[in-house]
Amino acid sequence: QVQLVESGGGLVQAGGSLRLSCAVSGRTFSSYSMGWFRQAPGKEREFVAAIRWNGGNPYYADSVRGRFTISRDNAKNTVYLQMNSLKPEDTAVYYCAVDRNSAGTWDYWGQGTQVTVSS
């Protein structure tokens, strides 16, 4: 069983920054692709960013490209999401997820961390 625990959310003013972390249990973290998603009130969960097992080819939703950076530290079994130039529309619960086979199927999810951006 793989467990994911997000942290780093909070309240920030527009234009500010936050860094989210997601700690993943299990000995095969380094083989997983990892992703971040978010869900705003009344909206469906949406993709934010993802990164392959070796840190290569990070890709982003258009809405966050150039402002957010996904990274990972395989020695710490942790994936990060650095969020800069935050906007009120970034307000959401942010989730990390595991794709064990890099097949675009997200197998495990964390419980989420709230990010609130005030105007």
Side-chain angles (χ1 to χ4, degrees):
Q1 184 72 13
V2 177
Q3 294 184 322
L4 299 82
V5 179
E6 300 99 334
S7 61
L11 173 64
V12 63
Q13 289 188 331
S17 298
L18 283 174
R19 189 175 82 154
L20 306 183
S21 300
C22 174
V24 182
S25 67
R27 292 176 290 178
T28 55
F29 170 81
S30 60
S31 68
Y32 301 153
S33 291
M34 298 295 302
W36 286 97
F37 294 75
R38 67 186 182 187
Q39 187 167 19
K43 295 187 177 181
E44 293 189 353
R45 188 175 298 184
E46 64 175 2
F47 169 79
V48 174
I51 189 167
R52 296 185 66 85
W53 66 274
N54 60 356
N57 298 328
Y59 53 102
Y60 301 92
D62 289 344
S63 58
V64 307
R65 187 176 294 112
R67 299 188 297 122
F68 291 10
T69 302
I70 188 171
S71 61
R72 64 190 296 159
D73 185 337
N74 287 344
K76 296 182 178 180
N77 279 23
T78 301
V79 62
Y80 304 98
L81 186 67
Q82 177 67 44
M83 306 185 295
N84 298 329
S85 302
L86 282 161
K87 305 175 182 180
E89 51 264 44
D90 294 318
T91 295
V93 178
Y94 283 71
Y95 300 88
C96 64
V98 167
D99 177 356
R100 290 180 296 173
N101 300 309
S102 298
T105 303
W106 302 98
D107 305 293
Y108 299 99
W109 295 83
Q111 83 290 347
T113 186
Q114 176 70 47
V115 171
T116 303
V117 184
S118 63
S119 57

